[in-house]
Amino acid sequence: MGLANRRPARRDVLRLGTAATAMLAVSGCDLLSTDPEGGGGGASSKSGAKEAPDLAALVKDGKLPPLKQRLPREPLEVQPTDRIGRYGGQWDTFLTSVDADPHLVGCLSYEPLVRWNVESTGIVPGIAKGWDVSEDTREYTFHLRAGMKWSDGEPFGVDDVIFAYEDVQKNKDLFPVFTTWLTTARQPATLEKLDDVSFKFVFTEPNGIFLENIAAGGTVLTSLPRHYLEKFHPKYNPDVESLAKDEGFANWMELFAARGGLGPGNLGSWQNPELPTVYPWRIVQGLGEGNRLVAERNPFYWKTDPNGAQLPYLDKVVMEIVEEPNVSTLQITEGRYSVITPGIATLQSKPVFARGRQAGEYHFVDMVEDRMNFGTFVLNHNHKDPAMRAVFQNKDFKIGLSYALNRKEIVSLIMKGQGVPWNTSPRPESKYFYEPLGTQYTEYDLDKANEHLDLAGYSQRDDEGFRLREDGKRLGFNLQVRVNFNPAWADIGELAGRYWREVGVDARVEVVAAELIFARIDANDHEAIMDDGDGGLIPYLNPGWYLPAAGSSMAIRWAQWYDSGGAEGEEPPAPQKRQMELFDQVKATLDEAERVELFTEILKIAAEEFYVIGTARTTQQYNIVQNDFHNVPDPFLDGSSYPEPGPTNPEQYFRE
């Protein structure tokens, strides 16, 4: 869930599916098996109903329009993973904090214009039933589904997309730095309305990866109902500042965000049950109201199964807030949850979950990993303190830290042997794989570690054996670790701190709430943080691990300079500027081979600069599914470019 890039028909990934699936093939029935004896199953149940019984009752009572009037003219037909489901039941899962968690976003709101297919290998229709792309990829025309509605029954159409783009994304009070994937040559696309169901984006330069970016993180374009939100926007309500103050907000921007106006990646969307949506379930109890979120079936949802029955099958989704990993582990073994946030299903905890399968009545499914690393250390190359900035930009210092890491011990103790020592290349399954970046400096060699730390200029030590900086101060830094996504990071951080202290670097490890880490990164107040490593399969969708771009926490000031076209941030040195030039070409090119060649040049510079220090690449991941919970693919892909479990179509999950 990369801090380095929080954002949130593709020719360049059509062949990833087979290789990515093969990477997690396993066998046997031991504690680490994902296909144990006694796995879940059950006969299918087909009622023949075209809508849920509770909705049918509302129609009968005259409280809801008939189904034909609620569906668009051309509903999206969803093929079930295994079989046609049945109505009823609920999906129980959990969140590890009160925020717009990626798991929450992926479970409930993955409804972009175009989306990844179930295998996450290609682009398929979503809210847009079709699209056209000009030969030079400067123009993208989308065709919406006539008759589609929001969850309150109001029409959904082009004007909603225009509102989301023109009045929200392009509003500098809401987004001071424009969203980069909606630009070319740092110029925002223009949006033209063609009719009530068709519109087109026009870019100043070719944009060969626009569809992929929409599928990876473009739900903000389709999640903002103009008819509801315009009353909180100054363009449509001249009295909005007074309204904001009357409701206890400092300004209209705070009010707008609190009402859900910044999209599903912002907490406000999940705290406001009044916000209409196009999601399978609509919020009835928001985050902040007790210790859970509750969403119930959207009566105007626009998808059906192959029999024409309106989805979703499940009546509701209940997400409890469980901030303590030990508590969530216990509750999982008791069989309380299904399709959980992947960071909790760690390799470290897998034996515990394996022992509880029979009593808890659940089984494992494989998850194909998109992330290039299980745990990375990100040093702030733009540290506000010039002395610390010099430390973190010193390549020999970083090489010394890398050699000091006992990665084999980390793999053995923390990952239960399910990993390979690794720095930060895209995964071997990717066409963008660059082995030197993955394998360099991964040996555990204290002699080499000390040699490079000496070469870095830190050979002098104090009475306690810690190295000294040029200004005479002790060489060290604060490593901040969050555990809401991956509880194993705290253990890895403690091991790393011990390893680094052994070579004279005073690394101080601190477990910090995710919200505080995010705030510190945004303010450039962090020293070093720990995260995973996105962009393992398609690195150009999460470039911030390989060059300063898209909110990269390794060099946020350089990234700001790049993203703003030099208007903000700090101008970077020549190697980083060269990476940025290459990345501009990557985004513009239509030729797959050329794109790979260009990004390989970016990776070569990344290897030379050595920005981020990795620990290991996972060789196996999994998730947990209750035995009476069906239509969950096995395997499915997890990663920031594939907002899990969204591409698996949660609306077709069912219980029996």
Side-chain angles (χ1 to χ4, degrees):
M1 307 290 167
L3 291 170
N5 181 20
R6 306 196 309 273
R7 36 158 213 115
R10 53 181 186 152
R11 305 170 215 163
D12 52 350
V13 295
L14 288 176
R15 291 187 294 278
L16 278 177
T18 301
T21 300
M23 67 179 277
L24 290 182
V26 294
S27 61
C29 297
D30 57 26
L31 287 180
L32 294 182
S33 170
T34 59
D35 188 23
E37 293 180 357
S44 64
S45 175
K46 303 176 183 179
S47 66
K50 297 299 183 183
E51 63 182 335
D54 59 327
L55 300 185
L58 291 174
V59 172
K60 183 178 181 180
D61 292 341
K63 298 179 180 179
L64 190 68
L67 178 61
K68 186 176 181 180
Q69 297 178 22
R70 304 199 311 269
L71 289 174
R73 295 177 193 170
E74 300 177 70
L76 177 60
E77 181 180 301
V78 176
Q79 294 296 323
T81 298
D82 295 319
R83 59 188 184 272
I84 298 293
R86 58 177 296 179
Y87 291 118
Q90 69 185 41
W91 175 9
D92 296 283
T93 184
F94 66 93
L95 304 173
T96 55
S97 61
V98 180
D99 61 13
D101 185 282
H103 181 62
L104 163 60
V105 174
C107 287
L108 296 185
S109 65
Y110 184 61
E111 302 295 358
L113 290 166
V114 298
R115 53 187 288 131
W116 298 120
N117 61 14
V118 175
E119 298 81 15
S120 297
T121 57
I123 303 296
V124 296
I127 284 179
K129 68 176 184 178
W131 60 90
D132 303 296
V133 184
S134 65
E135 186 174 348
D136 62 0
T137 68
R138 294 172 187 259
E139 297 186 6
Y140 287 77
T141 302
F142 295 94
H143 309 284
L144 303 180
R145 300 173 189 278
M148 186 171 159
K149 295 179 174 61
W150 293 95
S151 58
D152 60 357
E154 291 295 317
F156 172 93
V158 174
D159 288 342
D160 294 298
V161 179
I162 292 174
F163 174 79
Y165 184 69
E166 298 289 350
D167 298 326
V168 180
Q169 286 291 303
K170 293 177 72 172
N171 187 292
K172 291 186 177 181
D173 289 331
L174 298 173
F175 291 93
V177 178
F178 194 73
T179 304
T180 56
W181 61 267
L182 288 165
T183 69
T184 53
R186 296 173 186 84
Q187 295 298 313
T190 59
L191 179 55
E192 300 178 12
K193 180 176 181 178
L194 303 178
D195 53 44
D196 289 341
V197 293
S198 299
F199 63 93
K200 68 178 177 179
F201 281 102
V202 181
F203 293 92
T204 58
E205 300 292 336
N207 187 345
I209 59 175
F210 187 46
L211 295 178
E212 291 94 327
N213 272 311
I214 292 176
T219 50
V220 69
L221 295 174
T222 49
S223 60
L224 306 183
R226 173 178 169 174
H227 71 278
Y228 173 77
L229 290 170
E230 64 183 6
K231 67 176 72 71
F232 310 116
H233 196 291
K235 178 178 177 179
Y236 304 95
N237 181 2
D239 298 321
V240 69
E241 289 292 356
S242 297
L243 177 62
K245 289 179 172 53
D246 289 345
E247 298 197 22
F249 296 95
N251 51 53
W252 78 268
M253 293 88 77
E254 288 188 6
L255 172 63
F256 192 77
R259 295 296 177 261
L262 301 186
N266 185 272
L267 181 59
S269 288
W270 307 106
Q271 293 182 314
N272 181 16
E274 296 180 0
L275 179 70
T277 75
V278 292
Y279 312 150
W281 301 274
R282 53 191 174 90
I283 303 299
V284 295
Q285 179 179 324
L287 288 176
E289 302 177 44
N291 64 345
R292 64 180 188 166
L293 177 146
V294 180
E296 295 182 351
R297 176 184 288 108
N298 173 3
F300 294 90
Y301 193 55
W302 44 281
K303 299 181 186 178
T304 69
D305 69 14
N307 288 346
Q310 186 187 32
L311 297 172
Y313 292 132
L314 294 169
D315 292 338
K316 65 172 64 175
V317 181
V318 177
M319 294 186 168
E320 297 184 351
I321 308 301
V322 186
E323 296 181 327
E324 173 53 53
N326 291 334
V327 174
S328 63
T329 297
L330 175 62
Q331 293 175 340
I332 290 168
T333 61
E334 294 172 345
R336 291 179 57 172
Y337 305 119
S338 207
V339 191
I340 64 173
T341 180
I344 300 298
T346 65
L347 298 171
Q348 192 177 26
S349 59
K350 193 170 186 180
V352 176
F353 293 145
R355 287 191 291 269
R357 284 177 297 197
Q358 185 172 356
E361 298 183 325
Y362 57 83
H363 59 279
F364 295 151
V365 296
D366 284 335
M367 294 194 71
V368 180
E369 181 65 88
D370 170 46
R371 297 174 181 87
M372 52 80 173
N373 211 282
F374 186 72
T376 57
F377 302 100
V378 185
L379 309 179
N380 184 2
H381 291 67
N382 293 161
H383 199 291
K384 290 180 177 178
D385 180 354
M388 284 307 301
R389 178 180 298 204
V391 170
F392 290 150
Q393 291 185 21
N394 189 316
K395 182 180 178 181
D396 279 307
F397 173 75
K398 292 176 285 189
I399 293 174
L401 294 186
S402 187
Y403 277 131
L405 290 174
N406 189 339
R407 291 175 172 84
K408 290 185 177 179
E409 184 173 67
I410 291 173
V411 169
S412 175
L413 295 180
I414 308 300
M415 302 175 67
K416 302 304 177 183
Q418 304 298 310
V420 177
W422 198 248
N423 260 312
T424 57
S425 166
R427 300 181 67 91
E429 299 83 14
S430 170
K431 292 188 292 295
Y432 297 85
F433 173 59
Y434 183 62
E435 185 174 10
L437 181 56
T439 58
Q440 66 179 0
Y441 319 127
T442 54
E443 312 99 282
Y444 174 53
D445 192 323
L446 293 182
D447 289 337
K448 287 184 178 179
N450 284 306
E451 176 186 352
H452 280 277
L453 290 170
D454 288 346
L455 287 172
Y458 310 120
S459 59
Q460 300 298 313
R461 300 191 183 224
D462 62 17
D463 293 341
E464 297 182 49
F466 288 105
R467 296 173 181 273
L468 299 175
R469 301 183 332 202
E470 292 182 358
D471 58 6
K473 294 183 179 180
R474 178 178 287 184
L475 178 65
F477 57 87
N478 293 317
L479 173 66
Q480 296 175 336
V481 181
R482 62 187 176 104
V483 295
N484 68 311
F485 172 61
N486 188 343
W489 286 345
D491 294 332
I492 295 176
E494 289 297 333
L495 285 174
R498 188 187 75 192
Y499 299 147
W500 292 333
R501 288 190 293 272
E502 288 178 0
V503 293
V505 178
D506 186 16
R508 302 170 294 274
V509 181
E510 179 185 14
V511 177
V512 180
E515 296 84 355
L516 181 57
I517 290 183
F518 294 151
R520 288 176 176 173
I521 291 172
D522 290 341
N524 196 34
D525 285 334
H526 61 300
E527 288 200 326
I529 58 98
M530 189 173 183
D531 211 327
D532 41 25
D534 298 321
L537 295 179
I538 312 177
Y540 61 74
L541 292 181
N542 286 280
W545 295 96
Y546 308 106
L547 74 152
S552 172
S553 57
M554 67 186 181
I556 191 169
R557 298 291 288 162
W558 291 344
Q560 289 170 344
W561 182 89
Y562 173 56
D563 293 340
S564 68
E568 299 181 16
E570 298 177 11
E571 183 174 358
Q576 290 73 34
K577 291 173 73 173
R578 176 57 181 159
Q579 285 188 304
M580 295 167 182
E581 293 170 358
L582 289 165
F583 190 55
D584 283 341
Q585 296 176 52
V586 168
K587 292 184 290 184
T589 186
L590 308 180
D591 181 79
E592 177 185 6
E594 183 181 356
R595 188 180 295 167
V596 172
E597 181 179 350
L598 289 166
F599 208 90
T600 299
E601 290 300 311
I602 291 174
L603 296 175
K604 287 180 180 179
I605 297 174
E608 178 61 30
E609 296 297 309
F610 193 39
Y611 299 118
V612 181
I613 302 171
T615 55
R617 167 172 51 83
T618 57
T619 56
Q620 185 184 37
Q621 291 285 67
Y622 68 100
N623 208 304
I624 289 171
V625 180
Q626 294 160 313
N627 292 343
D628 66 344
F629 198 84
H630 302 292
N631 278 351
V632 180
D634 184 6
F636 69 88
L637 198 148
D638 171 39
S640 61
S641 299
Y642 314 89
E644 63 78 29
T648 70
N649 297 313
E651 63 272 9
Q652 51 94 50
Y653 295 169
F654 73 98
R655 285 193 180 278
E656 72 174 8

PDB file of all heavy atoms in Angstrom, residues 330 334 378 478 562:
ATOM      1  N   LEU A 330      -6.860 -13.408  16.043  1.00  0.00           N
ATOM      2  CA  LEU A 330      -7.747 -14.286  16.808  1.00  0.00           C
ATOM      3  C   LEU A 330      -9.124 -14.370  16.162  1.00  0.00           C
ATOM      4  O   LEU A 330      -9.690 -15.462  16.013  1.00  0.00           O
ATOM      5  CB  LEU A 330      -7.864 -13.776  18.248  1.00  0.00           C
ATOM      6  CG  LEU A 330      -8.872 -14.524  19.145  1.00  0.00           C
ATOM      7  CD1 LEU A 330      -8.462 -15.980  19.311  1.00  0.00           C
ATOM      8  CD2 LEU A 330      -8.987 -13.824  20.504  1.00  0.00           C
ATOM      9  N   GLU A 334     -11.305 -17.552  14.368  1.00  0.00           N
ATOM     10  CA  GLU A 334     -12.654 -17.906  14.807  1.00  0.00           C
ATOM     11  C   GLU A 334     -13.649 -17.922  13.651  1.00  0.00           C
ATOM     12  O   GLU A 334     -14.828 -18.213  13.853  1.00  0.00           O
ATOM     13  CB  GLU A 334     -13.130 -16.911  15.872  1.00  0.00           C
ATOM     14  CG  GLU A 334     -12.330 -16.992  17.173  1.00  0.00           C
ATOM     15  CD  GLU A 334     -12.682 -15.878  18.145  1.00  0.00           C
ATOM     16  OE1 GLU A 334     -13.334 -14.887  17.726  1.00  0.00           O
ATOM     17  OE2 GLU A 334     -12.307 -15.991  19.332  1.00  0.00           O
ATOM     18  N   VAL A 378      12.681   3.558   3.046  1.00  0.00           N
ATOM     19  CA  VAL A 378      12.682   4.736   2.192  1.00  0.00           C
ATOM     20  C   VAL A 378      13.294   5.891   2.968  1.00  0.00           C
ATOM     21  O   VAL A 378      12.732   6.352   3.961  1.00  0.00           O
ATOM     22  CB  VAL A 378      11.251   5.091   1.739  1.00  0.00           C
ATOM     23  CG1 VAL A 378      11.273   6.250   0.751  1.00  0.00           C
ATOM     24  CG2 VAL A 378      10.566   3.876   1.119  1.00  0.00           C
ATOM     25  N   ASN A 478      15.669   8.366  12.530  1.00  0.00           N
ATOM     26  CA  ASN A 478      14.434   7.754  13.019  1.00  0.00           C
ATOM     27  C   ASN A 478      13.770   6.985  11.890  1.00  0.00           C
ATOM     28  O   ASN A 478      13.508   7.541  10.818  1.00  0.00           O
ATOM     29  CB  ASN A 478      13.467   8.826  13.536  1.00  0.00           C
ATOM     30  CG  ASN A 478      13.978   9.515  14.776  1.00  0.00           C
ATOM     31  OD1 ASN A 478      14.505   8.877  15.680  1.00  0.00           O
ATOM     32  ND2 ASN A 478      13.844  10.835  14.833  1.00  0.00           N
ATOM     33  N   TYR A 562       8.847  18.070 -10.431  1.00  0.00           N
ATOM     34  CA  TYR A 562       8.501  17.378 -11.671  1.00  0.00           C
ATOM     35  C   TYR A 562       7.008  17.465 -11.956  1.00  0.00           C
ATOM     36  O   TYR A 562       6.594  17.826 -13.070  1.00  0.00           O
ATOM     37  CB  TYR A 562       8.942  15.922 -11.571  1.00  0.00           C
ATOM     38  CG  TYR A 562       8.501  15.053 -12.730  1.00  0.00           C
ATOM     39  CD1 TYR A 562       8.823  15.382 -14.043  1.00  0.00           C
ATOM     40  CD2 TYR A 562       7.754  13.895 -12.503  1.00  0.00           C
ATOM     41  CE1 TYR A 562       8.427  14.583 -15.104  1.00  0.00           C
ATOM     42  CE2 TYR A 562       7.353  13.092 -13.555  1.00  0.00           C
ATOM     43  CZ  TYR A 562       7.689  13.437 -14.852  1.00  0.00           C
ATOM     44  OH  TYR A 562       7.291  12.650 -15.899  1.00  0.00           O
TER      45      TYR A 562
END
